[in-house]
Each structure stands twice: as structure tokens, then as C-alpha cells.
């Protein structure tokens, strides 16, 4: 059974930082593209960041580019999202997701439908 467990969310003031962690089990972590998504109440789940296998290629939503950094540690089966200069509009439940690599060359995966396994989410609240 694939399991993804997010942690690190909480309440932070605007301009502050948080680091989210995603612990993966039940999969060969190194063969999975990892992503972070977020969902605010009444909103659709939206792409935040993705990191390809190997960890050298990343992509970000325009709204977080320059503020957030996605990373992975395959030896620890962990993915991370470092969030700096947080804004109230960053408030959402943040989800970690995994997608099995299915070809040698893969596109950047930025849609929720691209991902197969999801964590339960961790709440991030940014106060003004």
C-alpha cells in the first residue's frame, strides 16, 4: 500500500516560512515524480510544485515561483516543500502526491489527474 504522509503545516504570519515534509512508503520512491498541490475551501486543487525523478528538474506555479522550493531525498523517501515569504493567499491544505514514471522522458506533471497517490494533507494558514 502506497502511503504519503505530510507534516509541517501550521499557522504563520505573512512573510514567515514553513517547511512541509512528505514521508513516502509502499513505493519505490526514486521511480516516482513528486508533486505538491494545495486546496483552499471552495476552490479546486491547484498545482504548486513538482520534481522529477533524480531531483534535477523542477517546476512551480507562477504564484509561488521564487518563494517556494521543492526538493527530495530519495535515500530517505522524503519530499519537501520549503515555503518562504508566505502570503495570506497561500492559506490552504497542502497535499503531497506521487506519479509513477512511465517512460524515460516524462513531461512536467502539473495536473492533479497526473498523480496516483495522495497524502491526507496538512493545513497551512497564513495570517495577515
Amino acid at each position: 500500500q502506497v502511503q504519503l504522509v505530510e507534516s509541517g503545516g501550521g499557522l504563520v504570519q505573512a512573510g514567515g516560512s514553513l517547511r512541509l515534509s512528505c514521508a513516502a512508503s509502499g513505493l519505490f520512491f526514486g521511480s516516482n515524480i513528486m508533486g505538491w498541490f494545495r486546496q483552499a475551501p471552495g476552490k479546486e486543487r491547484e498545482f504548486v510544485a513538482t520534481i522529477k525523478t533524480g531531483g534535477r528538474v523542477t517546476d512551480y506555479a507562477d504564484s509561488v515561483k521564487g518563494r517556494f522550493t521543492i526538493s527530495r531525498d530519495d535515500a530517505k523517501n522524503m519530499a519537501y516543500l520549503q515555503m518562504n515569504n508566505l502570503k495570506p493567499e497561500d492559506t490552504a491544505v497542502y497535499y503531497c502526491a506521487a506519479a509513477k514514471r512511465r517512460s524515460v522522458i516524462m513531461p512536467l506533471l502539473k495536473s492533479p489527474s497526473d498523480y496516483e497517490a495522495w497524502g491526507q494533507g496538512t493545513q497551512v494558514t497564513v495570517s495577515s
Side-chain angles (χ1 to χ4, degrees):
Q1 299 181 173
V2 176
Q3 186 175 33
L4 304 177
V5 180
E6 302 96 337
S7 62
L11 176 64
V12 65
Q13 292 183 333
S17 298
L18 286 172
R19 189 175 87 147
L20 306 184
S21 298
C22 173
S25 62
L27 75 167
F28 187 69
F29 185 80
S31 295
N32 281 264
I33 298 160
M34 301 300 296
W36 286 96
F37 291 77
R38 65 188 184 187
Q39 189 166 22
K43 304 287 184 65
E44 291 189 5
R45 192 165 297 189
E46 69 172 351
F47 168 75
V48 175
T50 187
I51 185 165
K52 287 188 174 182
T53 58
R56 296 180 179 88
V57 179
T58 60
D59 195 33
Y60 300 89
D62 288 344
S63 59
V64 308
K65 194 171 186 178
R67 300 188 296 120
F68 291 11
T69 303
I70 188 172
S71 61
R72 64 191 296 157
D73 187 339
D74 289 354
K76 297 180 179 180
N77 289 357
M78 297 286 291
Y80 306 95
L81 185 69
Q82 178 68 46
M83 305 185 295
N84 297 327
N85 191 24
L86 283 160
K87 303 175 180 180
E89 52 262 44
D90 295 319
T91 295
V93 177
Y94 282 71
Y95 297 91
C96 176
K100 182 74 173 180
R101 183 182 178 187
R102 302 192 184 279
S103 64
V104 175
I105 300 175
M106 292 287 288
L108 292 165
L109 303 182
K110 299 189 286 185
S111 172
S113 63
D114 291 328
Y115 292 84
E116 303 156 7
W118 294 83
Q120 292 298 308
T122 185
Q123 175 70 230
V124 172
T125 303
V126 184
S127 64
S128 59

